[in-house]
Amino acid sequence: MGQDQTKQQIEKGLQLYQSNQTEKALQVWMKVLEKSSDLMGRFRVLGCLVTAHSEMGRYKEMLKFAVVQIDTARELEDADFLLESYLNLARSNEKLCEFHKTISYCKTCLGLPGTRAGAQLGGQVSLSMGNAFLGLSVFQKALESFEKALRYAHNNDDAMLECRVCCSLGSFYAQVKDYEKALFFPCKAAELVNDYGKGWSLKYRAMSQYHMAVAYRLLGHLGSAMECCEESMKIALQHGDRPLQALCLLCFADIHRSRGDLETAFPRYDSAMSIMTEIGNRLGQVQALLGVAKCWVARKALDKALNVIERAQDLAEEVGNKVPAKQRDPELSQLPPLIHEAWLCVTPGSRCGLPPRRSCSFSTAHWRPIYSWGSCQHVVTTARALGPAHGCSPGPSSPPCLFVLCSS
């Protein structure tokens, strides 16, 4: 397949993709990749495959094509192509929650010699780096990266990049609990879509509506949150955008939980969790699990909440996400500080537990002391989660409520 035919087939694939015939577009592009001998054409079609698999939530395939694209860029011996391919590699790792790798590849992009693409893609590199720092909860560096990306957008009149940065800033301020700004920035993104986005993909509108929904819920405006989330989900379903579908399901679940409708919230958390597991969004899985934990807390089932939180802790540790104590969610204040924090340090063989009390009532409504051998971390954590409730009555012959012997 020669250069002209390669170009025609790439354009054919783009037309199919833009008309939501995604699988047909992928078939056309894969055929080009198999048969074309034109290196520049192969580089371009690999970029199309990276973007398509990203929007479909097929992040491992996205990563595979990004790696092949780097090899193609090296064959072309062009610094602009190399920068673009490293950016795609960074984005692929960002989607897979490999945030340290993302930062490393972004730094590689920024360290490449001055290129023509540098001015155009520098903002996108900074945005990806900011998203990675946010995934690690390194808030100051995340904000610095987003501000740098925003400067790139303004200096280059890149409204599309500005829209994406505003959505990321919405997520940033939601995490640091400045909910007014968490709403301001996605509203700004929505304005950019209305003013400049006539020829843009609908994903930009869907993205801004989703972030508005998150902020509205956090501010307690549940009706507005539901409207925005429904609009975002409609577009996500229309375009087969699995990652956004998962985020919308998570937002729907949070809205129903905020309304006290736990029966409706639970299955939506499950659905969000299923998609996020399928696509490899581990940080999204953590958020879904925390939502489930909050539901169990609302039902006073603290033992079930603790089990869910332990799962979330494991996933959070996998991706390196750590949140300072002051950022911990107040809705989980009844539970021990497991998420993103170190477990209680215990000397092997020591005697641990909460201050001794006499004959306490626990949240499980059982009147009994706790004696246990085994994992001290687990036992002390469980004891704290069950807690002593109100109504302790001292008795000289009663054993202490919490008495934990650490075997290791």
Side-chain angles (χ1 to χ4, degrees):
M1 186 182 291
Q3 185 175 0
D4 291 341
Q5 192 176 359
T6 297
K7 185 177 180 180
Q8 290 173 1
Q9 290 300 303
I10 292 173
E11 292 302 322
K12 178 182 177 181
L14 284 170
Q15 290 173 6
L16 289 168
Y17 187 71
Q18 289 165 0
S19 62
N20 292 326
Q21 300 181 66
T22 304
E23 291 301 330
K24 289 183 179 180
L26 292 177
Q27 290 173 12
V28 170
W29 289 331
M30 287 302 297
K31 189 175 180 180
V32 171
L33 198 59
E34 291 169 8
K35 296 189 174 183
S36 178
S37 58
D38 175 40
L39 281 178
M40 288 188 65
R42 287 173 61 83
F43 183 89
R44 187 179 174 203
V45 82
L46 284 164
C48 293
L49 288 165
V50 166
T51 300
H53 283 91
S54 173
E55 293 183 358
M56 296 164 67
R58 299 176 183 175
Y59 296 144
K60 290 182 179 179
E61 288 83 357
M62 177 190 181
L63 177 61
K64 179 182 70 175
F65 289 119
V67 170
V68 177
Q69 192 183 42
I70 283 182
D71 293 336
T72 307
R74 286 176 177 149
E75 287 186 65
L76 286 164
E77 298 181 343
D78 186 296
D80 288 324
F81 290 143
L82 195 60
L83 172 58
E84 184 178 338
S85 59
Y86 266 110
L87 173 58
N88 282 331
L89 188 58
R91 286 172 172 166
S92 302
N93 281 280
E94 176 196 328
K95 299 296 185 184
L96 288 166
C97 298
E98 296 286 354
F99 298 125
H100 290 293
K101 290 183 180 180
T102 301
I103 293 166
S104 176
Y105 289 127
C106 285
K107 288 180 178 178
T108 299
C109 291
L110 297 174
L112 290 172
T115 61
R116 188 174 62 256
Q120 299 174 336
L121 299 180
Q124 297 184 40
V125 173
S126 295
L127 174 59
S128 187
M129 186 178 284
N131 289 335
F133 279 127
L134 185 59
L136 295 171
S137 297
V138 183
F139 296 119
Q140 185 58 42
K141 289 186 177 180
L143 183 58
E144 290 170 1
S145 296
F146 291 144
E147 289 176 341
K148 187 175 180 180
L150 206 55
R151 287 196 296 272
Y152 269 101
H154 292 159
N155 293 338
N156 293 280
D157 294 323
D158 190 340
M160 197 177 290
L161 173 60
E162 184 178 357
C163 178
R164 292 171 58 197
V165 176
C166 284
C167 288
S168 288
L169 281 167
S171 181
F172 170 86
Y173 282 110
Q175 288 197 40
V176 299
K177 306 190 188 310
D178 187 340
Y179 300 145
E180 294 295 338
K181 287 183 180 178
L183 178 60
F184 170 82
F185 281 103
C187 284
K188 176 63 177 175
E191 287 179 14
L192 290 166
V193 172
N194 290 333
D195 293 342
Y196 304 103
K198 187 175 181 180
W200 296 3
S201 166
L202 283 174
K203 72 177 183 180
Y204 288 94
R205 178 169 184 80
M207 188 168 54
S208 62
Q209 291 297 311
Y210 160 74
H211 286 284
M212 287 170 64
V214 171
Y216 275 130
R217 186 195 72 82
L218 292 169
L219 287 166
H221 306 317
L222 302 184
S224 297
M226 184 63 78
E227 289 177 12
C228 291
C229 199
E230 285 173 347
E231 183 171 354
S232 183
M233 181 59 120
K234 181 180 178 181
I235 297 171
L237 290 170
Q238 179 183 343
H239 287 264
D241 189 333
R242 297 285 281 168
L244 185 56
Q245 290 172 28
L247 291 173
C248 287
L249 283 166
L250 177 58
C251 188
F252 281 135
D254 286 338
I255 293 169
H256 288 298
R257 177 175 55 79
S258 296
R259 287 175 169 171
D261 186 358
L262 303 185
E263 291 297 328
T264 306
F266 272 120
R268 282 154 182 77
Y269 282 125
D270 289 343
S271 296
M273 186 71 180
S274 177
I275 296 176
M276 287 171 174
T277 302
E278 170 197 325
I279 66 179
N281 183 352
R282 287 174 291 170
L283 203 55
Q285 292 173 53
V286 171
Q287 293 168 343
L289 288 169
L290 289 177
V292 172
K294 292 171 188 177
C295 289
W296 288 125
V297 168
R299 287 188 169 181
K300 308 300 181 185
L302 301 187
D303 51 343
K304 290 183 178 180
L306 179 64
N307 289 334
V308 175
I309 284 207
E310 287 177 350
R311 289 172 59 197
Q313 162 108 4
D314 291 340
L315 283 169
E317 288 178 351
E318 279 184 21
V319 301
N321 180 266
K322 295 181 180 180
V323 175
K326 64 182 180 180
Q327 296 294 345
R328 205 183 315 135
D329 197 312
E331 294 183 64
L332 296 175
S333 59
Q334 298 178 52
L335 296 173
L338 285 181
I339 294 301
H340 318 306
E341 293 185 0
W343 288 61
L344 183 66
C345 293
V346 177
T347 302
S350 64
R351 175 175 170 176
C352 317
L354 297 177
R357 300 195 181 205
R358 307 292 184 184
S359 188
C360 295
S361 171
F362 291 85
S363 60
T364 51
H366 296 302
W367 290 74
R368 83 253 191 268
I370 296 179
Y371 289 87
S372 179
W373 287 87
S375 167
C376 188
Q377 289 179 336
H378 175 73
V379 173
V380 171
T381 302
T382 303
R384 284 186 167 184
L386 293 173
H390 295 292
C392 291
S393 55
S397 60
S398 300
C401 282
L402 300 175
F403 180 73
V404 183
L405 293 174
C406 305
S407 59
S408 61

